[in-house]
Amino acid sequence: MEMRKLTKEEERVIIHKGTECPFTGKYDDFFQKGTYVCKRCGQPLYSSEAKFDAGCGWPAFDKEFPGAVKRVPDPDGMRTEIECAKCGAHLGHVFTGERFTKENTRHCVNSISIEFIKEGEGNE
């Protein structure tokens, strides 16, 4: 599998499971039509139709593409980490029961872990 070259900050979040500061990521307040893919391997993860404004400081999605995201219990036992199912890149965390949307799920994703492909520009 071919992996994209990452910057040091991308490595800190994607490989070493870091977190970007809230309200700093380029996709937090971004609502164009298209597809969000894994920054590391290019796997399609989320449709822009699944994105919503949760006010949490990170991009929020209520549904992933089938089989695209893997859920893993955090070592702290309190949260559930989400990873790209294809390459294992750290995306963020998933929360349920908050009732933001009818899906009742919030994928809280680091902008640095994803890349946006505008509708009609490939990878969809």
Side-chain angles (χ1 to χ4, degrees):
M1 171 182 353
E2 188 173 324
M3 301 288 189
R4 297 173 178 170
K5 184 164 175 55
L6 302 175
T7 66
K8 286 192 182 270
E9 182 61 11
E10 289 168 345
E11 280 187 17
R12 183 186 73 77
V13 174
I14 294 169
I15 296 171
H16 303 293
K17 303 180 186 292
T19 302
E20 65 190 357
C21 292
F23 303 102
T24 63
K26 67 181 179 179
Y27 299 125
D28 176 37
D29 189 23
F30 180 90
F31 293 94
Q32 292 186 19
K33 289 188 181 237
T35 300
Y36 294 86
V37 301
C38 175
K39 181 69 151 263
R40 189 174 185 204
C41 73
Q43 168 79 13
L45 302 169
Y46 303 101
S47 166
S48 59
E49 293 175 8
K51 191 169 188 301
F52 67 98
D53 184 5
C56 62
W58 293 274
F61 302 88
D62 65 0
K63 185 174 20 175
E64 71 272 28
F65 289 125
V69 175
K70 180 179 173 184
R71 296 177 185 211
V72 180
D74 244 6
D76 67 10
M78 304 281 292
R79 300 181 298 174
T80 301
E81 179 188 0
I82 47 176
E83 299 177 343
C84 172
K86 183 175 179 182
C87 73
H90 174 72
L91 303 173
H93 292 87
V94 64
F95 303 92
T96 58
E98 298 174 321
R99 300 179 189 212
F100 282 115
T101 72
K102 68 179 178 117
E103 300 295 334
N104 207 16
T105 300
R106 175 174 58 101
H107 288 237
C108 187
V109 179
N110 291 289
S111 287
I112 203 167
S113 297
I114 55 178
E115 190 171 77
F116 178 75
I117 308 296
K118 189 175 182 178
E119 189 172 78
E121 292 187 2
N123 270 33
E124 295 179 279

mmCIF file of all heavy atoms in Angstrom, residues 53-98:
data_model
loop_
_atom_site.group_PDB
_atom_site.id
_atom_site.type_symbol
_atom_site.label_atom_id
_atom_site.label_comp_id
_atom_site.label_asym_id
_atom_site.label_seq_id
_atom_site.Cartn_x
_atom_site.Cartn_y
_atom_site.Cartn_z
ATOM 1 N N ASP A 53 -22.304 20.788 11.882
ATOM 2 C CA ASP A 53 -21.650 21.711 12.809
ATOM 3 C C ASP A 53 -22.011 21.323 14.239
ATOM 4 O O ASP A 53 -23.100 21.598 14.710
ATOM 5 C CB ASP A 53 -22.084 23.145 12.521
ATOM 6 C CG ASP A 53 -21.376 24.166 13.395
ATOM 7 O OD1 ASP A 53 -20.465 23.786 14.172
ATOM 8 O OD2 ASP A 53 -21.722 25.351 13.296
ATOM 9 N N ALA A 54 -21.066 20.677 14.913
ATOM 10 C CA ALA A 54 -21.298 20.260 16.299
ATOM 11 C C ALA A 54 -20.815 21.326 17.284
ATOM 12 O O ALA A 54 -21.065 21.215 18.479
ATOM 13 C CB ALA A 54 -20.577 18.940 16.572
ATOM 14 N N GLY A 55 -20.106 22.339 16.788
ATOM 15 C CA GLY A 55 -19.601 23.396 17.663
ATOM 16 C C GLY A 55 -18.495 22.927 18.589
ATOM 17 O O GLY A 55 -18.211 23.581 19.593
ATOM 18 N N CYS A 56 -17.857 21.812 18.268
ATOM 19 C CA CYS A 56 -16.853 21.220 19.158
ATOM 20 C C CYS A 56 -15.425 21.648 18.829
ATOM 21 O O CYS A 56 -14.495 21.380 19.591
ATOM 22 C CB CYS A 56 -16.954 19.699 19.130
ATOM 23 S SG CYS A 56 -16.648 18.954 17.510
ATOM 24 N N GLY A 57 -15.223 22.302 17.668
ATOM 25 C CA GLY A 57 -13.890 22.749 17.296
ATOM 26 C C GLY A 57 -13.173 21.842 16.326
ATOM 27 O O GLY A 57 -12.052 22.140 15.905
ATOM 28 N N TRP A 58 -13.794 20.738 15.963
ATOM 29 C CA TRP A 58 -13.236 19.800 14.989
ATOM 30 C C TRP A 58 -14.332 19.441 13.996
ATOM 31 O O TRP A 58 -15.519 19.518 14.327
ATOM 32 C CB TRP A 58 -12.747 18.518 15.654
ATOM 33 C CG TRP A 58 -11.572 18.709 16.550
ATOM 34 C CD1 TRP A 58 -10.249 18.704 16.168
ATOM 35 C CD2 TRP A 58 -11.579 18.928 17.956
ATOM 36 N NE1 TRP A 58 -9.446 18.914 17.278
ATOM 37 C CE2 TRP A 58 -10.238 19.054 18.387
ATOM 38 C CE3 TRP A 58 -12.583 19.041 18.910
ATOM 39 C CZ2 TRP A 58 -9.880 19.269 19.711
ATOM 40 C CZ3 TRP A 58 -12.238 19.262 20.232
ATOM 41 C CH2 TRP A 58 -10.898 19.371 20.617
ATOM 42 N N PRO A 59 -13.976 19.024 12.792
ATOM 43 C CA PRO A 59 -14.998 18.554 11.857
ATOM 44 C C PRO A 59 -15.778 17.394 12.475
ATOM 45 O O PRO A 59 -15.191 16.520 13.114
ATOM 46 C CB PRO A 59 -14.192 18.075 10.650
ATOM 47 C CG PRO A 59 -12.871 18.746 10.763
ATOM 48 C CD PRO A 59 -12.629 18.950 12.225
ATOM 49 N N ALA A 60 -17.085 17.414 12.280
ATOM 50 C CA ALA A 60 -17.949 16.371 12.840
ATOM 51 C C ALA A 60 -18.745 15.716 11.719
ATOM 52 O O ALA A 60 -19.288 16.393 10.851
ATOM 53 C CB ALA A 60 -18.890 16.966 13.883
ATOM 54 N N PHE A 61 -18.805 14.396 11.766
ATOM 55 C CA PHE A 61 -19.546 13.608 10.784
ATOM 56 C C PHE A 61 -20.425 12.619 11.542
ATOM 57 O O PHE A 61 -20.027 12.101 12.584
ATOM 58 C CB PHE A 61 -18.585 12.821 9.888
ATOM 59 C CG PHE A 61 -17.601 13.680 9.151
ATOM 60 C CD1 PHE A 61 -16.389 14.020 9.736
ATOM 61 C CD2 PHE A 61 -17.882 14.155 7.883
ATOM 62 C CE1 PHE A 61 -15.471 14.825 9.066
ATOM 63 C CE2 PHE A 61 -16.968 14.960 7.201
ATOM 64 C CZ PHE A 61 -15.759 15.289 7.795
ATOM 65 N N ASP A 62 -21.625 12.348 11.015
ATOM 66 C CA ASP A 62 -22.496 11.402 11.721
ATOM 67 C C ASP A 62 -22.537 10.018 11.074
ATOM 68 O O ASP A 62 -23.164 9.113 11.597
ATOM 69 C CB ASP A 62 -23.905 11.955 11.911
ATOM 70 C CG ASP A 62 -24.678 12.178 10.630
ATOM 71 O OD1 ASP A 62 -24.152 11.906 9.527
ATOM 72 O OD2 ASP A 62 -25.820 12.655 10.727
ATOM 73 N N LYS A 63 -21.803 9.856 9.941
ATOM 74 C CA LYS A 63 -21.795 8.549 9.291
ATOM 75 C C LYS A 63 -20.583 8.460 8.372
ATOM 76 O O LYS A 63 -20.306 9.378 7.619
ATOM 77 C CB LYS A 63 -23.084 8.361 8.495
ATOM 78 C CG LYS A 63 -23.225 7.004 7.877
ATOM 79 C CD LYS A 63 -24.559 6.726 7.183
ATOM 80 C CE LYS A 63 -25.379 7.908 6.788
ATOM 81 N NZ LYS A 63 -26.576 7.594 6.035
ATOM 82 N N GLU A 64 -19.884 7.329 8.426
ATOM 83 C CA GLU A 64 -18.753 7.081 7.540
ATOM 84 C C GLU A 64 -19.203 6.214 6.370
ATOM 85 O O GLU A 64 -20.282 5.629 6.410
ATOM 86 C CB GLU A 64 -17.620 6.387 8.308
ATOM 87 C CG GLU A 64 -17.885 4.948 8.678
ATOM 88 C CD GLU A 64 -18.607 4.749 10.000
ATOM 89 O OE1 GLU A 64 -19.369 5.631 10.428
ATOM 90 O OE2 GLU A 64 -18.439 3.666 10.608
ATOM 91 N N PHE A 65 -18.369 6.125 5.339
ATOM 92 C CA PHE A 65 -18.644 5.174 4.270
ATOM 93 C C PHE A 65 -18.513 3.768 4.855
ATOM 94 O O PHE A 65 -17.648 3.524 5.715
ATOM 95 C CB PHE A 65 -17.666 5.347 3.104
ATOM 96 C CG PHE A 65 -17.883 6.612 2.304
ATOM 97 C CD1 PHE A 65 -16.845 7.505 2.110
ATOM 98 C CD2 PHE A 65 -19.115 6.896 1.744
ATOM 99 C CE1 PHE A 65 -17.032 8.660 1.375
ATOM 100 C CE2 PHE A 65 -19.321 8.058 1.009
ATOM 101 C CZ PHE A 65 -18.265 8.944 0.823
ATOM 102 N N PRO A 66 -19.352 2.821 4.424
ATOM 103 C CA PRO A 66 -19.295 1.464 4.983
ATOM 104 C C PRO A 66 -17.887 0.858 4.918
ATOM 105 O O PRO A 66 -17.241 0.873 3.875
ATOM 106 C CB PRO A 66 -20.269 0.676 4.095
ATOM 107 C CG PRO A 66 -21.229 1.714 3.586
ATOM 108 C CD PRO A 66 -20.398 2.957 3.397
ATOM 109 N N GLY A 67 -17.419 0.398 6.073
ATOM 110 C CA GLY A 67 -16.126 -0.256 6.176
ATOM 111 C C GLY A 67 -14.913 0.651 6.133
ATOM 112 O O GLY A 67 -13.783 0.179 6.144
ATOM 113 N N ALA A 68 -15.098 1.972 6.093
ATOM 114 C CA ALA A 68 -13.985 2.909 5.944
ATOM 115 C C ALA A 68 -13.292 3.264 7.251
ATOM 116 O O ALA A 68 -12.121 3.628 7.252
ATOM 117 C CB ALA A 68 -14.463 4.195 5.269
ATOM 118 N N VAL A 69 -14.016 3.174 8.362
ATOM 119 C CA VAL A 69 -13.490 3.619 9.654
ATOM 120 C C VAL A 69 -13.559 2.486 10.669
ATOM 121 O O VAL A 69 -14.573 1.806 10.791
ATOM 122 C CB VAL A 69 -14.276 4.857 10.171
ATOM 123 C CG1 VAL A 69 -13.826 5.263 11.543
ATOM 124 C CG2 VAL A 69 -14.146 6.017 9.193
ATOM 125 N N LYS A 70 -12.466 2.317 11.381
ATOM 126 C CA LYS A 70 -12.377 1.275 12.415
ATOM 127 C C LYS A 70 -12.484 1.947 13.789
ATOM 128 O O LYS A 70 -11.858 2.975 14.041
ATOM 129 C CB LYS A 70 -11.039 0.557 12.274
ATOM 130 C CG LYS A 70 -10.806 -0.542 13.259
ATOM 131 C CD LYS A 70 -9.454 -1.191 12.988
ATOM 132 C CE LYS A 70 -9.110 -2.190 14.075
ATOM 133 N NZ LYS A 70 -7.768 -2.746 13.876
ATOM 134 N N ARG A 71 -13.257 1.349 14.672
ATOM 135 C CA ARG A 71 -13.399 1.851 16.051
ATOM 136 C C ARG A 71 -12.546 1.012 16.985
ATOM 137 O O ARG A 71 -12.608 -0.215 16.954
ATOM 138 C CB ARG A 71 -14.858 1.790 16.493
ATOM 139 C CG ARG A 71 -15.754 2.683 15.672
ATOM 140 C CD ARG A 71 -17.201 2.557 16.076
ATOM 141 N NE ARG A 71 -18.044 3.352 15.186
ATOM 142 C CZ ARG A 71 -19.162 3.922 15.564
ATOM 143 N NH1 ARG A 71 -19.604 3.790 16.798
ATOM 144 N NH2 ARG A 71 -19.865 4.622 14.696
ATOM 145 N N VAL A 72 -11.757 1.695 17.819
ATOM 146 C CA VAL A 72 -10.834 1.020 18.735
ATOM 147 C C VAL A 72 -10.968 1.653 20.117
ATOM 148 O O VAL A 72 -10.885 2.876 20.236
ATOM 149 C CB VAL A 72 -9.367 1.188 18.246
ATOM 150 C CG1 VAL A 72 -8.396 0.494 19.164
ATOM 151 C CG2 VAL A 72 -9.205 0.698 16.820
ATOM 152 N N PRO A 73 -11.166 0.858 21.178
ATOM 153 C CA PRO A 73 -11.233 1.447 22.518
ATOM 154 C C PRO A 73 -9.924 2.168 22.857
ATOM 155 O O PRO A 73 -8.839 1.642 22.616
ATOM 156 C CB PRO A 73 -11.445 0.245 23.443
ATOM 157 C CG PRO A 73 -11.944 -0.846 22.553
ATOM 158 C CD PRO A 73 -11.345 -0.592 21.200
ATOM 159 N N ASP A 74 -10.037 3.385 23.379
ATOM 160 C CA ASP A 74 -8.868 4.140 23.843
ATOM 161 C C ASP A 74 -8.280 3.441 25.070
ATOM 162 O O ASP A 74 -9.028 2.834 25.848
ATOM 163 C CB ASP A 74 -9.300 5.549 24.255
ATOM 164 C CG ASP A 74 -8.692 6.641 23.390
ATOM 165 O OD1 ASP A 74 -8.014 6.314 22.399
ATOM 166 O OD2 ASP A 74 -8.905 7.819 23.708
ATOM 167 N N PRO A 75 -6.977 3.536 25.261
ATOM 168 C CA PRO A 75 -6.361 2.923 26.456
ATOM 169 C C PRO A 75 -6.964 3.433 27.772
ATOM 170 O O PRO A 75 -6.984 2.712 28.756
ATOM 171 C CB PRO A 75 -4.890 3.323 26.344
ATOM 172 C CG PRO A 75 -4.670 3.549 24.894
ATOM 173 C CD PRO A 75 -5.971 4.095 24.370
ATOM 174 N N ASP A 76 -7.494 4.672 27.768
ATOM 175 C CA ASP A 76 -8.080 5.221 28.999
ATOM 176 C C ASP A 76 -9.431 4.596 29.327
ATOM 177 O O ASP A 76 -9.976 4.787 30.418
ATOM 178 C CB ASP A 76 -8.190 6.744 28.933
ATOM 179 C CG ASP A 76 -9.177 7.266 27.906
ATOM 180 O OD1 ASP A 76 -9.962 6.482 27.324
ATOM 181 O OD2 ASP A 76 -9.169 8.487 27.660
ATOM 182 N N GLY A 77 -10.000 3.841 28.381
ATOM 183 C CA GLY A 77 -11.280 3.186 28.611
ATOM 184 C C GLY A 77 -12.471 4.126 28.584
ATOM 185 O O GLY A 77 -13.606 3.696 28.753
ATOM 186 N N MET A 78 -12.229 5.408 28.358
ATOM 187 C CA MET A 78 -13.302 6.404 28.395
ATOM 188 C C MET A 78 -13.863 6.732 27.008
ATOM 189 O O MET A 78 -15.026 7.069 26.880
ATOM 190 C CB MET A 78 -12.784 7.699 29.030
ATOM 191 C CG MET A 78 -12.196 7.515 30.412
ATOM 192 S SD MET A 78 -13.416 7.392 31.702
ATOM 193 C CE MET A 78 -14.083 9.023 31.707
ATOM 194 N N ARG A 79 -13.017 6.661 25.998
ATOM 195 C CA ARG A 79 -13.426 7.075 24.660
ATOM 196 C C ARG A 79 -13.161 5.949 23.657
ATOM 197 O O ARG A 79 -12.508 4.968 23.973
ATOM 198 C CB ARG A 79 -12.644 8.324 24.221
ATOM 199 C CG ARG A 79 -12.841 9.502 25.132
ATOM 200 C CD ARG A 79 -12.066 10.709 24.653
ATOM 201 N NE ARG A 79 -10.635 10.428 24.642
ATOM 202 C CZ ARG A 79 -9.720 11.259 24.166
ATOM 203 N NH1 ARG A 79 -10.064 12.407 23.643
ATOM 204 N NH2 ARG A 79 -8.440 10.936 24.194
ATOM 205 N N THR A 80 -13.660 6.168 22.443
ATOM 206 C CA THR A 80 -13.419 5.243 21.350
ATOM 207 C C THR A 80 -12.698 5.986 20.237
ATOM 208 O O THR A 80 -13.215 6.959 19.693
ATOM 209 C CB THR A 80 -14.740 4.650 20.825
ATOM 210 O OG1 THR A 80 -15.402 3.979 21.902
ATOM 211 C CG2 THR A 80 -14.493 3.668 19.697
ATOM 212 N N GLU A 81 -11.508 5.510 19.916
ATOM 213 C CA GLU A 81 -10.713 6.102 18.841
ATOM 214 C C GLU A 81 -11.264 5.645 17.504
ATOM 215 O O GLU A 81 -11.803 4.546 17.389
ATOM 216 C CB GLU A 81 -9.255 5.654 18.974
ATOM 217 C CG GLU A 81 -8.366 6.200 17.875
ATOM 218 C CD GLU A 81 -6.976 5.608 17.876
ATOM 219 O OE1 GLU A 81 -6.662 4.760 18.739
ATOM 220 O OE2 GLU A 81 -6.209 5.974 16.972
ATOM 221 N N ILE A 82 -11.118 6.491 16.488
ATOM 222 C CA ILE A 82 -11.446 6.091 15.130
ATOM 223 C C ILE A 82 -10.179 6.169 14.287
ATOM 224 O O ILE A 82 -9.383 7.096 14.417
ATOM 225 C CB ILE A 82 -12.592 6.912 14.508
ATOM 226 C CG1 ILE A 82 -12.411 8.413 14.720
ATOM 227 C CG2 ILE A 82 -13.933 6.443 15.045
ATOM 228 C CD1 ILE A 82 -13.469 9.273 14.047
ATOM 229 N N GLU A 83 -10.007 5.133 13.442
ATOM 230 C CA GLU A 83 -8.850 5.024 12.559
ATOM 231 C C GLU A 83 -9.330 4.730 11.149
ATOM 232 O O GLU A 83 -10.401 4.149 10.960
ATOM 233 C CB GLU A 83 -7.962 3.844 12.968
ATOM 234 C CG GLU A 83 -7.384 3.894 14.333
ATOM 235 C CD GLU A 83 -6.578 2.636 14.654
ATOM 236 O OE1 GLU A 83 -6.723 1.599 13.960
ATOM 237 O OE2 GLU A 83 -5.809 2.691 15.625
ATOM 238 N N CYS A 84 -8.512 5.077 10.175
ATOM 239 C CA CYS A 84 -8.758 4.652 8.801
ATOM 240 C C CYS A 84 -8.663 3.131 8.786
ATOM 241 O O CYS A 84 -7.670 2.560 9.243
ATOM 242 C CB CYS A 84 -7.723 5.271 7.861
ATOM 243 S SG CYS A 84 -7.793 4.626 6.176
ATOM 244 N N ALA A 85 -9.688 2.468 8.281
ATOM 245 C CA ALA A 85 -9.694 1.003 8.264
ATOM 246 C C ALA A 85 -8.656 0.444 7.293
ATOM 247 O O ALA A 85 -8.220 -0.694 7.447
ATOM 248 C CB ALA A 85 -11.084 0.486 7.894
ATOM 249 N N LYS A 86 -8.235 1.236 6.336
ATOM 250 C CA LYS A 86 -7.271 0.757 5.340
ATOM 251 C C LYS A 86 -5.825 0.837 5.844
ATOM 252 O O LYS A 86 -5.073 -0.109 5.701
ATOM 253 C CB LYS A 86 -7.417 1.564 4.047
ATOM 254 C CG LYS A 86 -6.509 1.102 2.924
ATOM 255 C CD LYS A 86 -6.797 1.874 1.659
ATOM 256 C CE LYS A 86 -5.882 1.431 0.521
ATOM 257 N NZ LYS A 86 -6.151 2.230 -0.687
ATOM 258 N N CYS A 87 -5.435 1.977 6.454
ATOM 259 C CA CYS A 87 -4.025 2.161 6.826
ATOM 260 C C CYS A 87 -3.777 2.361 8.319
ATOM 261 O O CYS A 87 -2.634 2.425 8.745
ATOM 262 C CB CYS A 87 -3.416 3.325 6.041
ATOM 263 S SG CYS A 87 -3.964 4.962 6.583
ATOM 264 N N GLY A 88 -4.842 2.483 9.115
ATOM 265 C CA GLY A 88 -4.681 2.649 10.558
ATOM 266 C C GLY A 88 -4.382 4.061 11.005
ATOM 267 O O GLY A 88 -4.074 4.289 12.177
ATOM 268 N N ALA A 89 -4.492 5.037 10.123
ATOM 269 C CA ALA A 89 -4.241 6.436 10.497
ATOM 270 C C ALA A 89 -5.227 6.889 11.567
ATOM 271 O O ALA A 89 -6.428 6.620 11.475
ATOM 272 C CB ALA A 89 -4.359 7.345 9.277
ATOM 273 N N HIS A 90 -4.720 7.575 12.589
ATOM 274 C CA HIS A 90 -5.577 8.125 13.641
ATOM 275 C C HIS A 90 -6.391 9.276 13.067
ATOM 276 O O HIS A 90 -5.838 10.214 12.497
ATOM 277 C CB HIS A 90 -4.716 8.618 14.804
ATOM 278 C CG HIS A 90 -5.487 9.335 15.866
ATOM 279 N ND1 HIS A 90 -6.329 8.675 16.735
ATOM 280 C CD2 HIS A 90 -5.543 10.641 16.199
ATOM 281 C CE1 HIS A 90 -6.871 9.557 17.562
ATOM 282 N NE2 HIS A 90 -6.414 10.757 17.256
ATOM 283 N N LEU A 91 -7.711 9.198 13.221
ATOM 284 C CA LEU A 91 -8.608 10.240 12.743
ATOM 285 C C LEU A 91 -9.107 11.118 13.876
ATOM 286 O O LEU A 91 -9.226 12.326 13.728
ATOM 287 C CB LEU A 91 -9.804 9.616 12.019
ATOM 288 C CG LEU A 91 -9.477 8.706 10.830
ATOM 289 C CD1 LEU A 91 -10.730 8.020 10.327
ATOM 290 C CD2 LEU A 91 -8.796 9.494 9.724
ATOM 291 N N GLY A 92 -9.438 10.520 15.004
ATOM 292 C CA GLY A 92 -10.007 11.249 16.134
ATOM 293 C C GLY A 92 -10.751 10.290 17.037
ATOM 294 O O GLY A 92 -10.274 9.195 17.310
ATOM 295 N N HIS A 93 -11.959 10.692 17.462
ATOM 296 C CA HIS A 93 -12.771 9.862 18.356
ATOM 297 C C HIS A 93 -14.227 9.899 17.920
ATOM 298 O O HIS A 93 -14.657 10.832 17.252
ATOM 299 C CB HIS A 93 -12.641 10.353 19.806
ATOM 300 C CG HIS A 93 -11.281 10.113 20.356
ATOM 301 N ND1 HIS A 93 -10.253 11.012 20.190
ATOM 302 C CD2 HIS A 93 -10.765 9.063 21.031
ATOM 303 C CE1 HIS A 93 -9.166 10.525 20.759
ATOM 304 N NE2 HIS A 93 -9.445 9.348 21.272
ATOM 305 N N VAL A 94 -14.977 8.885 18.308
ATOM 306 C CA VAL A 94 -16.397 8.823 18.000
ATOM 307 C C VAL A 94 -17.181 8.835 19.311
ATOM 308 O O VAL A 94 -16.763 8.241 20.305
ATOM 309 C CB VAL A 94 -16.750 7.581 17.135
ATOM 310 C CG1 VAL A 94 -16.484 6.287 17.878
ATOM 311 C CG2 VAL A 94 -18.187 7.640 16.650
ATOM 312 N N PHE A 95 -18.303 9.553 19.278
ATOM 313 C CA PHE A 95 -19.173 9.680 20.450
ATOM 314 C C PHE A 95 -20.601 9.360 20.011
ATOM 315 O O PHE A 95 -21.020 9.729 18.922
ATOM 316 C CB PHE A 95 -19.105 11.109 21.006
ATOM 317 C CG PHE A 95 -17.708 11.528 21.364
ATOM 318 C CD1 PHE A 95 -16.913 12.189 20.442
ATOM 319 C CD2 PHE A 95 -17.177 11.235 22.612
ATOM 320 C CE1 PHE A 95 -15.611 12.568 20.754
ATOM 321 C CE2 PHE A 95 -15.876 11.608 22.933
ATOM 322 C CZ PHE A 95 -15.097 12.270 21.998
ATOM 323 N N THR A 96 -21.330 8.683 20.867
ATOM 324 C CA THR A 96 -22.723 8.352 20.567
ATOM 325 C C THR A 96 -23.616 8.858 21.689
ATOM 326 O O THR A 96 -23.159 9.114 22.798
ATOM 327 C CB THR A 96 -22.916 6.827 20.395
ATOM 328 O OG1 THR A 96 -22.498 6.170 21.591
ATOM 329 C CG2 THR A 96 -22.113 6.299 19.210
ATOM 330 N N GLY A 97 -24.895 8.994 21.375
ATOM 331 C CA GLY A 97 -25.875 9.383 22.386
ATOM 332 C C GLY A 97 -26.008 10.872 22.634
ATOM 333 O O GLY A 97 -26.693 11.284 23.555
ATOM 334 N N GLU A 98 -25.386 11.702 21.815
ATOM 335 C CA GLU A 98 -25.440 13.156 22.033
ATOM 336 C C GLU A 98 -26.634 13.820 21.348
ATOM 337 O O GLU A 98 -26.942 14.965 21.620
ATOM 338 C CB GLU A 98 -24.147 13.811 21.522
ATOM 339 C CG GLU A 98 -22.920 13.339 22.251
ATOM 340 C CD GLU A 98 -21.641 13.879 21.649
ATOM 341 O OE1 GLU A 98 -21.546 13.964 20.403
ATOM 342 O OE2 GLU A 98 -20.735 14.228 22.415
#
